[in-house]
Amino acid sequence: MPKTAGMEGRVASARRTSVPRVAWLIGPALVAGVAYLDPGNVASNMTAGARFGYLLVWVVVLGNVMAWLIQYLSAKLGIVTGQSLPEALGRRIRNPWGRRAYWLQAELVAMATDIAEVIGGAVALNLLFGLPLVLGGVITGVVSLGLLILQSRHGARTFEVVVIGLIAIIAIGFTFGVFVAPPDGAAVLGGLVPRFEGSGSVLLAASILGATIMPHAIYAHSALARDRFPAPADVMGAEQTTDAALALARGIPTARLLRATRWDVSIAMIIAGTVNLCILLLAAANLAGVRGTDSLEGAYAALSAGIGPVVATLFAVGLLASGLASTSVGAYAGAEIMRGLLHVRVPLLARRLVTLIPALILLGIGVDPTVALVLSQVVLSFGIPFALIPLVALTARGDVLGPFRNRWGTTAAGVAASVFLIALNGVLLWLVISGT
């Protein structure tokens, strides 16, 4: 009894004196949110606006709403259990071959992410400085490795500060043009009505959702939250945790961490959603019907000719910052996937080289960068259910999250999002196979 009283007293003291302000707790969602601002998003949203105008505005908005719920659940899993999603699944998938199969699909998704991000950085360097695409890809990979080394040597907070700085550059680069050449307000409202126009719009809708709700962001956010708010080993291994135990472990009550996380995710998703919507609106208002604007290079040229070189240059700078920041987060997620599922640690340099090779091959053989970006996002869309379904299932279980498990409404929303995404992917597959 005295021990319990002492624990409660220390928790109360932590609440009064040691709990940092909410602002200090914000950061992991912003880093994970970089995944929602990667070059794949740029290509998908730019292509959607150029080809279909305001038709798919509703997809961007819906994707962002679903992303809020998904990223919050991911962070909650990491905070409450002290485990990332790959770690939690690695403990529960008993069959070694089943665990390897799950790792393989997750790894392919991470590689598809890396392809999009490296290609985006290479295209940006080509637009800004005229560098060959392969050289630009190498530079993007090297800089991202430097950011990962920064994270491993100086901790999560330093990494967050650098990435948030890149987010600011991304936001300015991609939203400036909308203020210079604003979209039609009535048309934007019309784009909020859900509808499609042919298989091409379905393909782009799946691409937008794959770029918005990214599987590797789900894996990464749980790990980022775990690393930012670590608990001692005896707490981290527990299947069921209590607010008091975790408060003592971290000096911060778990309920307060979760409240701060909701703010963190909200800020990150507002930024990501606004930027993605601005990219689509910029293309819809200024590039619709203009030939060649369904590629990043064509869009850059059209923006320069139609709105001015300042807007075009800021667009390219935003694309570069997007590639550099997002490829670092993608590599972090890939390393966590391997460690959590296979219990294998691979040196950063070796992993960076392996994941860089596919992107460099695609650039070297002359595959159209924008096509590669859009298709990579479709691959990501098919990887979403494998991350989302286990996430919703685990966070709904009392033996995993204890008193912090999902309420029934949260679980219902997660199930609805999963069903919608899986159904959209099924329609897309049918359209591709039938050649419609």
Side-chain angles (χ1 to χ4, degrees):
M1 183 67 69
K3 182 178 180 181
T4 303
M7 178 173 15
E8 292 175 350
R10 280 177 286 173
V11 172
S13 176
R15 286 193 178 102
R16 289 193 303 269
T17 61
S18 301
V19 178
R21 294 184 177 182
V22 169
W24 183 88
L25 303 176
I26 289 174
L30 289 170
V31 175
V34 166
Y36 298 85
L37 297 170
D38 80 337
N41 289 82
V42 180
S44 296
N45 291 311
M46 186 66 70
T47 302
R51 288 183 58 187
F52 295 100
Y54 301 94
L55 177 71
L56 298 179
V57 166
W58 68 274
V59 178
V60 176
V61 174
L62 178 63
N64 208 64
V65 171
M66 291 192 294
W68 186 97
L69 173 63
I70 293 164
Q71 292 307 131
Y72 172 68
L73 294 182
S74 176
K76 184 166 74 167
L77 179 70
I79 289 171
V80 176
T81 67
Q83 299 172 12
S84 67
L85 179 59
E87 283 179 315
L89 292 174
R91 289 172 178 265
R92 289 166 175 79
I93 302 176
R94 302 297 183 184
N95 186 300
W97 288 106
R99 192 165 59 250
R100 289 167 191 154
Y102 188 93
W103 164 80
L104 180 60
Q105 64 80 26
E107 196 68 37
L108 290 175
V109 164
M111 291 183 71
T113 302
D114 224 23
I115 288 173
E117 292 154 353
V118 171
I119 288 177
V123 170
L125 289 170
N126 175 262
L127 295 175
L128 289 169
F129 307 110
L131 297 180
L133 290 175
V134 175
L135 177 59
V138 171
I139 292 173
T140 302
V142 170
V143 173
S144 70
L145 177 62
L147 291 176
L148 288 171
I149 292 174
L150 179 72
Q151 191 268 347
S152 63
R153 292 186 178 178
H154 298 282
R157 191 57 175 168
T158 302
F159 183 60
E160 287 171 8
V161 170
V162 173
V163 171
I164 290 170
L166 290 172
I167 290 174
I169 297 173
I170 294 168
I172 294 171
F174 289 144
T175 60
F176 183 78
V178 173
F179 294 99
V180 175
D184 181 347
V188 174
L189 292 177
L192 293 173
V193 179
R195 64 193 190 281
F196 295 111
E197 290 180 2
S199 59
S201 63
V202 178
L203 176 65
L204 275 172
S207 180
I208 291 171
L209 289 173
T212 303
I213 305 170
M214 303 183 77
H216 83 280
I218 299 174
Y219 300 126
H221 199 170
S222 58
L224 288 164
R226 175 205 63 197
D227 293 346
R228 179 67 182 282
F229 308 112
D234 60 336
V235 177
M236 290 174 65
E239 282 294 331
Q240 184 162 340
T241 56
T242 66
D243 195 7
L246 287 170
L248 283 175
R250 302 186 177 101
I252 307 171
T254 304
R256 184 176 179 86
L257 278 180
L258 294 179
R259 284 196 299 271
T261 296
R262 287 192 286 272
W263 279 103
D264 192 18
V265 175
S266 297
I267 293 170
M269 292 301 100
I270 288 172
I271 294 173
T274 300
V275 172
N276 282 320
L277 187 58
C278 283
I279 294 170
L280 188 148
L281 296 180
L282 179 65
N286 300 280
L287 305 180
V290 180
R291 294 189 60 183
T293 54
D294 55 353
S295 70
L296 292 174
E297 298 89 343
Y300 172 84
L303 289 173
S304 181
I307 306 179
V310 174
V311 173
T313 300
L314 285 174
F315 173 81
V317 170
L319 181 63
L320 177 60
S322 169
L324 294 177
S326 55
T327 193
S328 303
V329 176
Y332 173 87
E336 181 62 32
I337 289 168
M338 181 171 286
R339 186 178 77 85
L341 290 167
L342 300 185
H343 312 296
V344 174
R345 291 182 181 271
V346 177
L348 283 176
L349 180 59
R351 177 166 185 84
R352 177 73 283 184
L353 290 175
V354 170
T355 56
L356 189 60
I357 289 173
L360 295 181
I361 290 175
L362 290 175
L363 291 171
I365 63 178
V367 174
D368 181 85
T370 304
V371 171
L373 285 173
V374 173
L375 291 179
S376 72
Q377 304 313 296
V378 176
V379 173
L380 294 180
S381 184
F382 282 95
I384 291 170
F386 294 98
L388 183 53
I389 292 174
L391 176 67
V392 174
L394 286 173
T395 54
R397 292 178 55 172
D399 61 337
V400 177
L401 265 66
F404 305 106
R405 67 186 182 277
N406 296 341
R407 297 178 180 177
W408 73 266
T410 304
T411 299
V415 171
S418 303
V419 170
F420 173 79
L421 292 167
I422 293 171
L424 180 61
N425 290 332
V427 171
L428 173 62
L429 182 62
W430 178 78
L431 289 172
V432 171
I433 293 175
S434 64
T436 302

